[in-house]
Every structure is written in C-alpha cells, then in structure tokens.
Amino acid sequence: MDSLYTAEALSTGAGRNGRTRTADGTLDLQLATPTSMGGDGNGANPEQLFAAGYAACFHSALQGVARRAKVDLGDSSVGARVSIGRNDDGEGFGLAVELEVTIPDLPHEQAQELADAAHRVCPYSNATRGNIPVTVTVTDD
C-alpha cells in the first residue's frame, strides 16, 4: 500500500480507564469502561471512537461513489453502532458493526446501490470484511 496519511495516537494509564491522545493533540480524551461492562462510564471508550471513525469514513466513501455516479446525496447521514461481546468460544472479545445509511431524497433501491458500492470501497469496510460482522441498512427517513 502506498500510504497517503498516517494517524498516530498513544494510550496511557490503565487502557480502557486511561487516556488517549493523538500525536498532534487534536484528540485528547479520558477513557472509561462503559457501565454495562462494569466501569463508571465517565469517559469515552474505544467502541465509541471506532463507531465515530467508521461512520465518518463510510460517509466519505458514500459521497465519493455518489459523486462518481453524478448523484446528489442531499442531506445524507451515516450512523454506526459498534457492539462488543464475548467470542463464541468464551475466550476473548469480538466486535460487530451496524451501519445505518439515510439518503432522504433518493429512491430506496438507488440509495441501497450507493451504500453497497460505498461498502466495497470504504477503508474501514475493507479492514473489517471477513473479520467481524458488518451490517449495512438503508433507511428512508
């Protein structure tokens, strides 16, 4: 791969209950384990960061495929839900992602075609494909 950009971040403290900061200081967050996992929930967590990154990256991919198809996405949005749970074998944890794509001014079928195309080119989708379940749903809201 010919790298176009490299992000750098450092986690310090106690992992999920520590701090994470990007090398340029743009992102600097206190982390906390979610209450549903036994933590106090008083900070961001890796799943939130992954969800935010995936939603933004997928939305960019969607805009790119729409631009190439000469389609106006209007007031589109992409939401991401990232779930964490124990692996089926009970050893370790795994992730699952649900992406929700909304393109209000397009027919559902056309919106689905664009979402499917975005899923083929999005770097996050390419990184997760075959590794974790990712569901892409187009809503008509």
mmCIF file of all heavy atoms in Angstrom, residues 21-72:
data_model
loop_
_atom_site.group_PDB
_atom_site.id
_atom_site.type_symbol
_atom_site.label_atom_id
_atom_site.label_comp_id
_atom_site.label_asym_id
_atom_site.label_seq_id
_atom_site.Cartn_x
_atom_site.Cartn_y
_atom_site.Cartn_z
ATOM 1 N N ARG A 21 -4.523 10.057 23.276
ATOM 2 C CA ARG A 21 -4.213 11.361 22.687
ATOM 3 C C ARG A 21 -3.535 11.142 21.349
ATOM 4 O O ARG A 21 -2.665 10.278 21.220
ATOM 5 C CB ARG A 21 -3.280 12.128 23.623
ATOM 6 C CG ARG A 21 -2.913 13.502 23.156
ATOM 7 C CD ARG A 21 -1.972 14.173 24.181
ATOM 8 N NE ARG A 21 -1.757 15.562 23.880
ATOM 9 C CZ ARG A 21 -0.902 16.035 22.976
ATOM 10 N NH1 ARG A 21 -0.176 15.187 22.257
ATOM 11 N NH2 ARG A 21 -0.784 17.321 22.766
ATOM 12 N N THR A 22 -3.934 11.939 20.354
ATOM 13 C CA THR A 22 -3.249 11.873 19.067
ATOM 14 C C THR A 22 -1.943 12.652 19.162
ATOM 15 O O THR A 22 -1.794 13.553 19.999
ATOM 16 C CB THR A 22 -4.122 12.445 17.926
ATOM 17 O OG1 THR A 22 -4.498 13.786 18.254
ATOM 18 C CG2 THR A 22 -5.355 11.592 17.699
ATOM 19 N N ALA A 23 -1.002 12.301 18.317
ATOM 20 C CA ALA A 23 0.318 12.923 18.345
ATOM 21 C C ALA A 23 0.241 14.435 18.136
ATOM 22 O O ALA A 23 1.033 15.186 18.711
ATOM 23 C CB ALA A 23 1.227 12.288 17.290
ATOM 24 N N ASP A 24 -0.734 14.892 17.334
ATOM 25 C CA ASP A 24 -0.860 16.327 17.081
ATOM 26 C C ASP A 24 -1.730 17.040 18.118
ATOM 27 O O ASP A 24 -1.926 18.249 18.058
ATOM 28 C CB ASP A 24 -1.389 16.594 15.672
ATOM 29 C CG ASP A 24 -2.803 16.081 15.451
ATOM 30 O OD1 ASP A 24 -3.420 15.555 16.396
ATOM 31 O OD2 ASP A 24 -3.297 16.212 14.319
ATOM 32 N N GLY A 25 -2.290 16.278 19.074
ATOM 33 C CA GLY A 25 -3.092 16.869 20.133
ATOM 34 C C GLY A 25 -4.530 17.198 19.747
ATOM 35 O O GLY A 25 -5.285 17.700 20.577
ATOM 36 N N THR A 26 -4.915 16.921 18.516
ATOM 37 C CA THR A 26 -6.280 17.213 18.072
ATOM 38 C C THR A 26 -7.306 16.457 18.905
ATOM 39 O O THR A 26 -8.374 16.974 19.216
ATOM 40 C CB THR A 26 -6.452 16.840 16.587
ATOM 41 O OG1 THR A 26 -5.504 17.573 15.827
ATOM 42 C CG2 THR A 26 -7.842 17.162 16.087
ATOM 43 N N LEU A 27 -6.983 15.241 19.256
ATOM 44 C CA LEU A 27 -7.859 14.405 20.064
ATOM 45 C C LEU A 27 -7.132 14.095 21.366
ATOM 46 O O LEU A 27 -5.992 13.629 21.355
ATOM 47 C CB LEU A 27 -8.171 13.111 19.309
ATOM 48 C CG LEU A 27 -9.159 12.141 19.906
ATOM 49 C CD1 LEU A 27 -10.558 12.756 19.924
ATOM 50 C CD2 LEU A 27 -9.176 10.862 19.099
ATOM 51 N N ASP A 28 -7.787 14.368 22.482
ATOM 52 C CA ASP A 28 -7.205 14.102 23.797
ATOM 53 C C ASP A 28 -8.358 13.762 24.731
ATOM 54 O O ASP A 28 -9.111 14.649 25.133
ATOM 55 C CB ASP A 28 -6.433 15.324 24.296
ATOM 56 C CG ASP A 28 -5.655 15.060 25.566
ATOM 57 O OD1 ASP A 28 -5.796 13.968 26.157
ATOM 58 O OD2 ASP A 28 -4.900 15.954 25.982
ATOM 59 N N LEU A 29 -8.545 12.480 25.007
ATOM 60 C CA LEU A 29 -9.730 12.025 25.722
ATOM 61 C C LEU A 29 -9.412 11.184 26.946
ATOM 62 O O LEU A 29 -8.518 10.336 26.909
ATOM 63 C CB LEU A 29 -10.613 11.172 24.796
ATOM 64 C CG LEU A 29 -11.215 11.832 23.575
ATOM 65 C CD1 LEU A 29 -11.851 10.785 22.687
ATOM 66 C CD2 LEU A 29 -12.237 12.866 23.998
ATOM 67 N N GLN A 30 -10.189 11.396 27.987
ATOM 68 C CA GLN A 30 -10.209 10.492 29.126
ATOM 69 C C GLN A 30 -11.050 9.288 28.722
ATOM 70 O O GLN A 30 -12.115 9.450 28.127
ATOM 71 C CB GLN A 30 -10.836 11.179 30.343
ATOM 72 C CG GLN A 30 -10.847 10.328 31.593
ATOM 73 C CD GLN A 30 -9.450 9.995 32.084
ATOM 74 O OE1 GLN A 30 -8.557 10.834 32.081
ATOM 75 N NE2 GLN A 30 -9.250 8.746 32.471
ATOM 76 N N LEU A 31 -10.576 8.095 29.014
ATOM 77 C CA LEU A 31 -11.292 6.878 28.677
ATOM 78 C C LEU A 31 -11.882 6.245 29.928
ATOM 79 O O LEU A 31 -11.325 6.387 31.023
ATOM 80 C CB LEU A 31 -10.360 5.874 27.996
ATOM 81 C CG LEU A 31 -9.712 6.333 26.693
ATOM 82 C CD1 LEU A 31 -8.731 5.288 26.198
ATOM 83 C CD2 LEU A 31 -10.762 6.629 25.641
ATOM 84 N N ALA A 32 -12.996 5.563 29.760
ATOM 85 C CA ALA A 32 -13.627 4.847 30.866
ATOM 86 C C ALA A 32 -14.384 3.644 30.322
ATOM 87 O O ALA A 32 -15.008 3.713 29.260
ATOM 88 C CB ALA A 32 -14.583 5.763 31.620
ATOM 89 N N THR A 33 -14.341 2.574 31.057
ATOM 90 C CA THR A 33 -15.104 1.390 30.707
ATOM 91 C C THR A 33 -16.593 1.703 30.852
ATOM 92 O O THR A 33 -16.998 2.316 31.846
ATOM 93 C CB THR A 33 -14.712 0.220 31.627
ATOM 94 O OG1 THR A 33 -13.301 -0.023 31.476
ATOM 95 C CG2 THR A 33 -15.477 -1.046 31.302
ATOM 96 N N PRO A 34 -17.424 1.290 29.882
ATOM 97 C CA PRO A 34 -18.873 1.533 29.983
ATOM 98 C C PRO A 34 -19.460 0.869 31.235
ATOM 99 O O PRO A 34 -18.966 -0.170 31.689
ATOM 100 C CB PRO A 34 -19.440 0.890 28.718
ATOM 101 C CG PRO A 34 -18.287 0.751 27.783
ATOM 102 C CD PRO A 34 -17.070 0.588 28.639
ATOM 103 N N THR A 35 -20.523 1.441 31.741
ATOM 104 C CA THR A 35 -21.159 0.886 32.935
ATOM 105 C C THR A 35 -21.654 -0.536 32.697
ATOM 106 O O THR A 35 -21.605 -1.370 33.591
ATOM 107 C CB THR A 35 -22.332 1.775 33.418
ATOM 108 O OG1 THR A 35 -23.253 1.938 32.344
ATOM 109 C CG2 THR A 35 -21.846 3.133 33.886
ATOM 110 N N SER A 36 -22.099 -0.836 31.461
ATOM 111 C CA SER A 36 -22.597 -2.180 31.161
ATOM 112 C C SER A 36 -21.491 -3.234 31.212
ATOM 113 O O SER A 36 -21.773 -4.428 31.262
ATOM 114 C CB SER A 36 -23.279 -2.210 29.791
ATOM 115 O OG SER A 36 -22.344 -1.926 28.771
ATOM 116 N N MET A 37 -20.243 -2.764 31.232
ATOM 117 C CA MET A 37 -19.097 -3.676 31.327
ATOM 118 C C MET A 37 -18.425 -3.559 32.692
ATOM 119 O O MET A 37 -17.301 -4.009 32.873
ATOM 120 C CB MET A 37 -18.102 -3.378 30.198
ATOM 121 C CG MET A 37 -18.625 -3.708 28.819
ATOM 122 S SD MET A 37 -17.483 -3.222 27.491
ATOM 123 C CE MET A 37 -16.074 -4.274 27.805
ATOM 124 N N GLY A 38 -19.103 -2.913 33.631
ATOM 125 C CA GLY A 38 -18.579 -2.840 34.989
ATOM 126 C C GLY A 38 -17.787 -1.591 35.318
ATOM 127 O O GLY A 38 -17.250 -1.456 36.416
ATOM 128 N N GLY A 39 -17.720 -0.648 34.393
ATOM 129 C CA GLY A 39 -16.978 0.578 34.645
ATOM 130 C C GLY A 39 -17.882 1.708 35.107
ATOM 131 O O GLY A 39 -19.096 1.529 35.266
ATOM 132 N N ASP A 40 -17.282 2.883 35.281
ATOM 133 C CA ASP A 40 -18.089 4.027 35.718
ATOM 134 C C ASP A 40 -18.658 4.818 34.550
ATOM 135 O O ASP A 40 -19.532 5.663 34.738
ATOM 136 C CB ASP A 40 -17.305 4.933 36.665
ATOM 137 C CG ASP A 40 -16.105 5.619 36.018
ATOM 138 O OD1 ASP A 40 -16.031 5.708 34.768
ATOM 139 O OD2 ASP A 40 -15.233 6.089 36.769
ATOM 140 N N GLY A 41 -18.178 4.564 33.332
ATOM 141 C CA GLY A 41 -18.724 5.229 32.152
ATOM 142 C C GLY A 41 -18.413 6.708 32.050
ATOM 143 O O GLY A 41 -18.980 7.396 31.208
ATOM 144 N N ASN A 42 -17.503 7.206 32.875
ATOM 145 C CA ASN A 42 -17.196 8.641 32.891
ATOM 146 C C ASN A 42 -16.075 9.007 31.927
ATOM 147 O O ASN A 42 -15.089 9.649 32.302
ATOM 148 C CB ASN A 42 -16.840 9.099 34.308
ATOM 149 C CG ASN A 42 -18.038 9.064 35.227
ATOM 150 O OD1 ASN A 42 -19.158 9.339 34.784
ATOM 151 N ND2 ASN A 42 -17.817 8.714 36.473
ATOM 152 N N GLY A 43 -16.221 8.612 30.695
ATOM 153 C CA GLY A 43 -15.244 8.934 29.664
ATOM 154 C C GLY A 43 -15.617 8.224 28.377
ATOM 155 O O GLY A 43 -16.562 7.428 28.336
ATOM 156 N N ALA A 44 -14.895 8.515 27.351
ATOM 157 C CA ALA A 44 -15.105 7.860 26.061
ATOM 158 C C ALA A 44 -14.578 6.429 26.138
ATOM 159 O O ALA A 44 -13.873 6.064 27.076
ATOM 160 C CB ALA A 44 -14.390 8.639 24.964
ATOM 161 N N ASN A 45 -14.923 5.625 25.139
ATOM 162 C CA ASN A 45 -14.389 4.264 25.100
ATOM 163 C C ASN A 45 -14.013 3.912 23.664
ATOM 164 O O ASN A 45 -14.436 4.587 22.721
ATOM 165 C CB ASN A 45 -15.386 3.264 25.707
ATOM 166 C CG ASN A 45 -16.688 3.191 24.948
ATOM 167 O OD1 ASN A 45 -16.708 2.765 23.796
ATOM 168 N ND2 ASN A 45 -17.776 3.603 25.591
ATOM 169 N N PRO A 46 -13.201 2.868 23.489
ATOM 170 C CA PRO A 46 -12.733 2.515 22.148
ATOM 171 C C PRO A 46 -13.853 2.230 21.155
ATOM 172 O O PRO A 46 -13.717 2.541 19.964
ATOM 173 C CB PRO A 46 -11.872 1.272 22.387
ATOM 174 C CG PRO A 46 -11.392 1.418 23.786
ATOM 175 C CD PRO A 46 -12.542 2.052 24.523
ATOM 176 N N GLU A 47 -14.971 1.665 21.612
ATOM 177 C CA GLU A 47 -16.064 1.359 20.697
ATOM 178 C C GLU A 47 -16.696 2.642 20.164
ATOM 179 O O GLU A 47 -17.076 2.712 18.991
ATOM 180 C CB GLU A 47 -17.109 0.477 21.388
ATOM 181 C CG GLU A 47 -16.602 -0.933 21.686
ATOM 182 C CD GLU A 47 -15.561 -0.978 22.807
ATOM 183 O OE1 GLU A 47 -15.670 -0.200 23.787
ATOM 184 O OE2 GLU A 47 -14.615 -1.789 22.680
ATOM 185 N N GLN A 48 -16.807 3.670 21.002
ATOM 186 C CA GLN A 48 -17.323 4.963 20.539
ATOM 187 C C GLN A 48 -16.397 5.564 19.495
ATOM 188 O O GLN A 48 -16.851 6.115 18.483
ATOM 189 C CB GLN A 48 -17.472 5.929 21.712
ATOM 190 C CG GLN A 48 -18.578 5.580 22.666
ATOM 191 C CD GLN A 48 -18.535 6.448 23.907
ATOM 192 O OE1 GLN A 48 -17.476 6.785 24.429
ATOM 193 N NE2 GLN A 48 -19.716 6.820 24.393
ATOM 194 N N LEU A 49 -15.102 5.479 19.739
ATOM 195 C CA LEU A 49 -14.133 6.033 18.791
ATOM 196 C C LEU A 49 -14.187 5.284 17.464
ATOM 197 O O LEU A 49 -14.143 5.897 16.388
ATOM 198 C CB LEU A 49 -12.725 5.983 19.382
ATOM 199 C CG LEU A 49 -12.529 6.799 20.653
ATOM 200 C CD1 LEU A 49 -11.152 6.535 21.250
ATOM 201 C CD2 LEU A 49 -12.728 8.281 20.389
ATOM 202 N N PHE A 50 -14.314 3.958 17.535
ATOM 203 C CA PHE A 50 -14.418 3.154 16.326
ATOM 204 C C PHE A 50 -15.699 3.491 15.565
ATOM 205 O O PHE A 50 -15.690 3.634 14.339
ATOM 206 C CB PHE A 50 -14.358 1.669 16.686
ATOM 207 C CG PHE A 50 -14.259 0.747 15.504
ATOM 208 C CD1 PHE A 50 -13.206 0.832 14.606
ATOM 209 C CD2 PHE A 50 -15.209 -0.234 15.295
ATOM 210 C CE1 PHE A 50 -13.108 -0.027 13.514
ATOM 211 C CE2 PHE A 50 -15.134 -1.097 14.220
ATOM 212 C CZ PHE A 50 -14.084 -0.994 13.329
ATOM 213 N N ALA A 51 -16.818 3.630 16.289
ATOM 214 C CA ALA A 51 -18.098 3.970 15.659
ATOM 215 C C ALA A 51 -18.013 5.328 14.964
ATOM 216 O O ALA A 51 -18.471 5.483 13.827
ATOM 217 C CB ALA A 51 -19.223 3.964 16.697
ATOM 218 N N ALA A 52 -17.435 6.310 15.640
ATOM 219 C CA ALA A 52 -17.313 7.648 15.047
ATOM 220 C C ALA A 52 -16.438 7.613 13.800
ATOM 221 O O ALA A 52 -16.774 8.199 12.765
ATOM 222 C CB ALA A 52 -16.751 8.627 16.072
ATOM 223 N N GLY A 53 -15.325 6.915 13.873
ATOM 224 C CA GLY A 53 -14.420 6.813 12.728
ATOM 225 C C GLY A 53 -15.048 6.076 11.558
ATOM 226 O O GLY A 53 -14.946 6.512 10.399
ATOM 227 N N TYR A 54 -15.719 4.967 11.845
ATOM 228 C CA TYR A 54 -16.337 4.178 10.779
ATOM 229 C C TYR A 54 -17.457 4.980 10.117
ATOM 230 O O TYR A 54 -17.574 5.032 8.888
ATOM 231 C CB TYR A 54 -16.865 2.859 11.331
ATOM 232 C CG TYR A 54 -17.005 1.734 10.325
ATOM 233 C CD1 TYR A 54 -17.002 0.409 10.753
ATOM 234 C CD2 TYR A 54 -17.149 1.953 8.963
ATOM 235 C CE1 TYR A 54 -17.139 -0.650 9.858
ATOM 236 C CE2 TYR A 54 -17.280 0.913 8.059
ATOM 237 C CZ TYR A 54 -17.274 -0.391 8.516
ATOM 238 O OH TYR A 54 -17.409 -1.439 7.619
ATOM 239 N N ALA A 55 -18.298 5.649 10.912
ATOM 240 C CA ALA A 55 -19.400 6.442 10.348
ATOM 241 C C ALA A 55 -18.864 7.524 9.417
ATOM 242 O O ALA A 55 -19.375 7.716 8.306
ATOM 243 C CB ALA A 55 -20.247 7.055 11.465
ATOM 244 N N ALA A 56 -17.836 8.244 9.865
ATOM 245 C CA ALA A 56 -17.272 9.324 9.048
ATOM 246 C C ALA A 56 -16.612 8.794 7.784
ATOM 247 O O ALA A 56 -16.795 9.341 6.688
ATOM 248 C CB ALA A 56 -16.267 10.126 9.873
ATOM 249 N N CYS A 57 -15.859 7.707 7.919
ATOM 250 C CA CYS A 57 -15.166 7.132 6.762
ATOM 251 C C CYS A 57 -16.170 6.590 5.748
ATOM 252 O O CYS A 57 -16.035 6.820 4.544
ATOM 253 C CB CYS A 57 -14.222 6.035 7.234
ATOM 254 S SG CYS A 57 -13.127 5.438 5.937
ATOM 255 N N PHE A 58 -17.198 5.881 6.238
ATOM 256 C CA PHE A 58 -18.206 5.324 5.339
ATOM 257 C C PHE A 58 -18.970 6.436 4.636
ATOM 258 O O PHE A 58 -19.264 6.336 3.442
ATOM 259 C CB PHE A 58 -19.164 4.405 6.108
ATOM 260 C CG PHE A 58 -19.984 3.526 5.204
ATOM 261 C CD1 PHE A 58 -19.542 2.252 4.867
ATOM 262 C CD2 PHE A 58 -21.190 3.959 4.685
ATOM 263 C CE1 PHE A 58 -20.289 1.442 4.025
ATOM 264 C CE2 PHE A 58 -21.941 3.151 3.845
ATOM 265 C CZ PHE A 58 -21.492 1.890 3.518
ATOM 266 N N HIS A 59 -19.274 7.517 5.365
ATOM 267 C CA HIS A 59 -19.995 8.643 4.747
ATOM 268 C C HIS A 59 -19.145 9.266 3.641
ATOM 269 O O HIS A 59 -19.661 9.628 2.575
ATOM 270 C CB HIS A 59 -20.371 9.670 5.811
ATOM 271 C CG HIS A 59 -21.506 10.552 5.411
ATOM 272 N ND1 HIS A 59 -21.875 11.644 6.128
ATOM 273 C CD2 HIS A 59 -22.364 10.516 4.350
ATOM 274 C CE1 HIS A 59 -22.900 12.236 5.549
ATOM 275 N NE2 HIS A 59 -23.214 11.572 4.463
ATOM 276 N N SER A 60 -17.840 9.379 3.860
ATOM 277 C CA SER A 60 -16.947 9.886 2.813
ATOM 278 C C SER A 60 -16.934 8.959 1.600
ATOM 279 O O SER A 60 -16.945 9.411 0.459
ATOM 280 C CB SER A 60 -15.527 10.055 3.349
ATOM 281 O OG SER A 60 -15.464 11.143 4.224
ATOM 282 N N ALA A 61 -16.890 7.656 1.850
ATOM 283 C CA ALA A 61 -16.920 6.689 0.752
ATOM 284 C C ALA A 61 -18.237 6.801 -0.014
ATOM 285 O O ALA A 61 -18.258 6.762 -1.253
ATOM 286 C CB ALA A 61 -16.738 5.268 1.283
ATOM 287 N N LEU A 62 -19.342 6.964 0.713
ATOM 288 C CA LEU A 62 -20.653 7.128 0.091
ATOM 289 C C LEU A 62 -20.682 8.381 -0.782
ATOM 290 O O LEU A 62 -21.170 8.354 -1.918
ATOM 291 C CB LEU A 62 -21.727 7.210 1.182
ATOM 292 C CG LEU A 62 -23.171 7.323 0.730
ATOM 293 C CD1 LEU A 62 -23.618 6.053 0.004
ATOM 294 C CD2 LEU A 62 -24.073 7.589 1.937
ATOM 295 N N GLN A 63 -20.138 9.469 -0.286
ATOM 296 C CA GLN A 63 -20.080 10.705 -1.068
ATOM 297 C C GLN A 63 -19.218 10.532 -2.304
ATOM 298 O O GLN A 63 -19.548 11.039 -3.381
ATOM 299 C CB GLN A 63 -19.569 11.853 -0.200
ATOM 300 C CG GLN A 63 -20.564 12.255 0.861
ATOM 301 C CD GLN A 63 -19.984 13.190 1.898
ATOM 302 O OE1 GLN A 63 -18.771 13.322 2.044
ATOM 303 N NE2 GLN A 63 -20.849 13.852 2.643
ATOM 304 N N GLY A 64 -18.132 9.789 -2.171
ATOM 305 C CA GLY A 64 -17.257 9.546 -3.321
ATOM 306 C C GLY A 64 -17.939 8.745 -4.423
ATOM 307 O O GLY A 64 -17.862 9.106 -5.599
ATOM 308 N N VAL A 65 -18.623 7.661 -4.055
ATOM 309 C CA VAL A 65 -19.297 6.859 -5.087
ATOM 310 C C VAL A 65 -20.465 7.631 -5.681
ATOM 311 O O VAL A 65 -20.734 7.508 -6.886
ATOM 312 C CB VAL A 65 -19.733 5.458 -4.578
ATOM 313 C CG1 VAL A 65 -18.531 4.633 -4.154
ATOM 314 C CG2 VAL A 65 -20.747 5.542 -3.471
ATOM 315 N N ALA A 66 -21.133 8.444 -4.884
ATOM 316 C CA ALA A 66 -22.242 9.261 -5.408
ATOM 317 C C ALA A 66 -21.715 10.314 -6.379
ATOM 318 O O ALA A 66 -22.319 10.548 -7.433
ATOM 319 C CB ALA A 66 -22.992 9.930 -4.260
ATOM 320 N N ARG A 67 -20.604 10.929 -6.044
ATOM 321 C CA ARG A 67 -20.004 11.945 -6.918
ATOM 322 C C ARG A 67 -19.633 11.321 -8.268
ATOM 323 O O ARG A 67 -19.917 11.882 -9.319
ATOM 324 C CB ARG A 67 -18.777 12.543 -6.231
ATOM 325 C CG ARG A 67 -18.274 13.816 -6.802
ATOM 326 C CD ARG A 67 -17.193 14.504 -5.957
ATOM 327 N NE ARG A 67 -16.326 13.652 -5.170
ATOM 328 C CZ ARG A 67 -16.430 13.455 -3.852
ATOM 329 N NH1 ARG A 67 -17.384 14.032 -3.157
ATOM 330 N NH2 ARG A 67 -15.587 12.670 -3.213
ATOM 331 N N ARG A 68 -19.024 10.121 -8.233
ATOM 332 C CA ARG A 68 -18.653 9.438 -9.479
ATOM 333 C C ARG A 68 -19.897 9.066 -10.297
ATOM 334 O O ARG A 68 -19.850 9.040 -11.523
ATOM 335 C CB ARG A 68 -17.807 8.201 -9.188
ATOM 336 C CG ARG A 68 -16.366 8.557 -8.845
ATOM 337 C CD ARG A 68 -15.452 7.340 -8.807
ATOM 338 N NE ARG A 68 -15.720 6.425 -7.714
ATOM 339 C CZ ARG A 68 -15.362 6.599 -6.452
ATOM 340 N NH1 ARG A 68 -14.720 7.683 -6.098
ATOM 341 N NH2 ARG A 68 -15.638 5.704 -5.531
ATOM 342 N N ALA A 69 -21.001 8.781 -9.613
ATOM 343 C CA ALA A 69 -22.246 8.435 -10.305
ATOM 344 C C ALA A 69 -23.071 9.671 -10.643
ATOM 345 O O ALA A 69 -24.167 9.547 -11.188
ATOM 346 C CB ALA A 69 -23.070 7.486 -9.430
ATOM 347 N N LYS A 70 -22.545 10.849 -10.288
ATOM 348 C CA LYS A 70 -23.224 12.126 -10.532
ATOM 349 C C LYS A 70 -24.607 12.161 -9.858
ATOM 350 O O LYS A 70 -25.601 12.576 -10.451
ATOM 351 C CB LYS A 70 -23.325 12.419 -12.023
ATOM 352 C CG LYS A 70 -21.958 12.579 -12.686
ATOM 353 C CD LYS A 70 -22.078 12.937 -14.128
ATOM 354 C CE LYS A 70 -20.803 13.060 -14.885
ATOM 355 N NZ LYS A 70 -19.540 13.046 -14.300
ATOM 356 N N VAL A 71 -24.622 11.706 -8.586
ATOM 357 C CA VAL A 71 -25.848 11.678 -7.790
ATOM 358 C C VAL A 71 -25.664 12.623 -6.606
ATOM 359 O O VAL A 71 -24.642 12.586 -5.928
ATOM 360 C CB VAL A 71 -26.144 10.249 -7.280
ATOM 361 C CG1 VAL A 71 -27.320 10.244 -6.323
ATOM 362 C CG2 VAL A 71 -26.386 9.311 -8.451
ATOM 363 N N ASP A 72 -26.670 13.460 -6.380
ATOM 364 C CA ASP A 72 -26.657 14.373 -5.240
ATOM 365 C C ASP A 72 -27.236 13.648 -4.027
ATOM 366 O O ASP A 72 -28.378 13.216 -4.048
ATOM 367 C CB ASP A 72 -27.490 15.620 -5.565
ATOM 368 C CG ASP A 72 -27.504 16.633 -4.439
ATOM 369 O OD1 ASP A 72 -26.775 16.462 -3.438
ATOM 370 O OD2 ASP A 72 -28.259 17.618 -4.567
#
